[in-house]
Amino acid sequence: MEEKTIERSYLDMELLRFTTAGSVDDGKSTLIGRLLYDSKAIFQDQLEAIERASIKKGEEYVNLALLTDGLRAEREQGITIDVAYRYFHTPKRKFIIADTPGHVQYTRNMVTGASTANAAVILVDARHGVIEQTIRHAYIASLLRIPHVIVCVNKMDLVEFKQEVFDEIQQKFHEFSSHLDLHDVRFIPISALLGDNVVERSKNMDWYQGPTLLYLLENLYISNDYNQLDARFPVQYVIRPQSTEYHDYRGYAGRMASGTFRVGDRVKVLPSGFTTTIKGIDFWTDHLDSITAPQSGTILLEDDLDVSRGCMIIPEENGIKQGQDVELMICWLGDKPMVPGGKYALKHTTNDLRCMIKEVKYKVNINTLEKDYTDKAIGMNDIACISIRTTKPLFYDSYRVNRVTGSLILIDEATNVTVGAGMII
């Protein structure tokens, strides 16, 4: 009974996804290792393994970065080259960390890791201050509309824990980020190596009165991160049990992309446009009164309509954009350059269709934030504004309004490789 209670409370805990970004050697992996170590989230045998590895490499300290360097090539080079996900929890919250590479050529990896994040932790080396990589990572956080940005000024121990260094970096970050779409930006002076202000408060920086990084992560208010106004339910699967007991059961399974539906709500099913009423909402064997993003569940409708995977259920009175000509910002992930006029498969929520690249409007120089209207060649890691035409109408919201129904991916039809991550304007 006690075990079930513990298991249930763990499942009920709120989940926060966050990504770490920063230049090479800014200490991302060390910071994550410090978070895991100081919050007692690593096993004894793991600690002993990295202690042995640190001694073998002749390092003065236990290298906590080794906890996240999962690939042999990463360990040998001492840098992160792929997105490394780590999971841990505290009594207050569960966490998924996406540790993304710092090199310019891995911009696409950061976009992948940050696409579902509630928060971005951007590291700045206190000795170097705001650099091009800082601007790039802040821009990507802004582009992906990550709700919370935490700027950790790391390696404060190497600048004698001086407040003026921290204040200057804070001011410079504010200066350039005022042109970006960032709403909640916090600053913390830390030393990931020594543990100052990561989990425990720093005794070396008594001038800093704000929260530690872990306290902030545990207490960020994320309930408003989902759009709670515009209910959207992309249908993933039609449930029709072939059994006598559920002979007439017909439910539509999926995950709420945003908003809330309640039993009795009048809804419209797209693309048919027919309207009906929600008769019931099921989750496994439970019957619910309502379903709210990001819950999964099964919706039952009063009328027998033609509904299948790719359809979307929306409120009768709440419109959604629709059309075949769509403008979007895209991060190119593919090894091969984008082909203007080329045809690609497109995946949007649970809908699969095809599209053609109509026009490259401009490319963004993410080091200077300037728009380049002359260079239309889009290669790997480039971010550009493009327009596409789809083979059938797309039902969508602007990415600014809804991160789920406003995003899509492009897929190379020949190789089935994802080549582009798009944010609809």
Side-chain angles (χ1 to χ4, degrees):
M1 186 62 155
E2 189 179 344
E3 282 185 10
K4 283 186 179 177
T5 306
I6 293 170
E7 187 182 337
R8 191 70 190 171
S9 66
Y10 177 78
L11 292 174
D12 290 341
M13 285 168 75
E14 195 172 44
L15 171 67
L16 181 131
R17 297 169 186 267
F18 69 96
T19 181
T20 56
S23 190
V24 181
D25 292 334
D26 276 354
K28 298 185 300 298
S29 298
T30 304
L31 175 63
I32 294 172
R34 174 62 64 184
L35 263 178
L36 299 176
Y37 178 71
D38 283 2
S39 59
K40 312 284 190 293
I42 58 174
F43 295 110
Q44 186 62 32
D45 59 333
Q46 288 177 304
L47 182 60
E48 288 170 1
I50 63 167
E51 281 174 348
R52 286 196 299 274
S54 301
I55 293 169
K56 193 175 175 183
K57 293 176 79 172
E59 293 174 339
E60 293 180 18
Y61 301 92
V62 175
N63 188 350
L64 295 173
L66 295 174
L67 276 171
T68 58
D69 293 341
L71 303 176
R72 176 181 292 180
E74 292 180 347
R75 288 195 294 271
E76 288 173 353
Q77 293 182 49
I79 59 169
T80 306
I81 58 177
D82 202 352
V83 183
Y85 292 95
R86 288 293 178 273
Y87 310 86
F88 77 105
H89 72 277
T90 65
K92 286 191 175 177
R93 208 170 238 178
K94 293 180 288 190
F95 300 95
I96 296 178
I97 315 169
D99 182 20
T100 59
H103 281 72
V104 178
Q105 63 265 38
Y106 296 122
T107 298
R108 63 175 183 169
N109 302 43
M110 183 190 167
V111 171
T112 306
S115 59
T116 56
N118 302 96
V121 175
I122 298 178
L123 272 85
V124 176
D125 189 323
R127 296 168 301 170
H128 305 139
V130 171
I131 59 175
E132 282 188 355
Q133 282 285 65
T134 316
I135 299 173
R136 178 183 295 111
H137 294 143
Y139 175 77
I140 292 173
S142 162
L143 181 70
L144 294 174
R145 294 192 64 76
I146 299 177
H148 313 280
V149 172
I150 304 167
V151 181
C152 285
V153 180
N154 191 22
K155 305 192 180 183
M156 288 297 292
D157 51 307
L158 299 182
V159 293
E160 299 173 356
F161 301 103
K162 289 180 180 172
Q163 183 179 359
E164 50 268 34
V165 175
F166 175 71
D167 289 343
E168 187 181 347
I169 291 172
Q170 194 170 327
Q171 185 189 340
K172 285 191 176 173
F173 191 95
H174 277 309
E175 283 173 7
F176 83 84
S177 67
S178 60
H179 305 290
L180 301 176
D181 204 5
L182 300 175
H183 300 285
D184 180 24
V185 183
R186 323 283 183 98
F187 295 85
I188 306 178
I190 66 167
S191 167
L193 183 66
L194 303 179
D196 292 72
N197 286 335
V198 178
V199 173
E200 305 292 338
R201 290 196 68 80
S202 170
K203 294 175 182 171
N204 298 306
M205 291 179 276
D206 52 4
W207 45 265
Y208 173 73
Q209 300 300 316
T212 64
L213 177 60
L214 182 63
Y215 182 88
L216 188 55
L217 292 171
E218 283 182 324
N219 292 282
L220 276 178
Y221 186 70
I222 59 172
S223 297
N224 285 344
D225 291 356
Y226 287 95
N227 177 329
Q228 299 297 354
L229 296 176
D230 309 305
R232 306 282 186 254
F233 186 85
V235 175
Q236 196 168 22
Y237 187 69
V238 179
I239 297 178
R240 288 291 309 273
Q242 302 297 318
S243 66
T244 306
E245 185 182 358
Y246 297 102
H247 186 76
D248 295 323
Y249 190 95
R250 186 182 179 87
Y252 307 105
R255 184 183 183 193
M256 284 296 290
S258 58
T260 300
F261 275 133
R262 294 178 179 80
V263 174
D265 281 355
R266 290 289 298 170
V267 294
K268 184 189 290 183
V269 179
L270 297 173
S272 68
F274 288 117
T275 58
T276 182
T277 303
I278 293 180
K279 184 172 68 176
I281 299 171
D282 292 345
F283 179 73
W284 190 232
T285 55
D286 296 337
H287 303 297
L288 309 178
D289 295 326
S290 64
I291 181 171
T292 300
Q295 268 184 295
S296 296
T298 303
I299 288 181
L300 291 82
L301 301 178
E302 199 72 60
D303 301 293
D304 190 13
L305 303 179
D306 180 16
V307 183
S308 58
R309 177 182 169 85
C311 291
M312 189 178 296
I313 299 174
I314 65 170
E316 186 179 17
E317 302 298 334
N318 184 306
I320 188 170
K321 292 181 181 178
Q322 56 180 296
Q324 291 180 261
D325 295 302
V326 182
E327 196 169 300
L328 56 129
M329 299 297 296
I330 193 146
C331 176
W332 198 248
L333 313 175
D335 298 328
K336 297 177 187 171
M338 178 193 291
V339 180
K343 295 177 178 138
Y344 295 91
L346 185 156
K347 188 168 182 58
H348 173 255
T349 63
T350 57
N351 202 0
D352 295 293
L353 57 163
R354 299 177 71 212
C355 74
M356 182 184 77
I357 308 292
K358 273 178 64 184
E359 182 187 4
V360 176
K361 294 181 178 294
Y362 61 83
K363 192 157 85 173
V364 178
N365 182 334
I366 54 176
N367 295 326
T368 61
L369 306 183
E370 292 174 347
K371 295 175 183 173
D372 187 343
Y373 290 91
T374 56
D375 184 5
K376 303 293 179 74
I378 307 301
M380 186 167 57
N381 294 315
D382 283 339
I383 293 176
C385 177
I386 66 170
S387 63
I388 60 172
R389 183 168 180 79
T390 57
T391 49
K392 57 184 181 180
L394 197 67
F395 301 96
Y396 62 93
D397 293 291
S398 160
Y399 189 81
R400 290 176 61 87
V401 175
N402 194 319
R403 289 177 78 186
V404 179
T405 55
S407 59
L408 55 83
I409 58 171
L410 299 185
I411 299 164
D412 186 319
E413 292 182 299
T415 61
N416 211 28
V417 169
T418 301
V419 292
M423 285 66 70
I424 300 172
I425 295 174

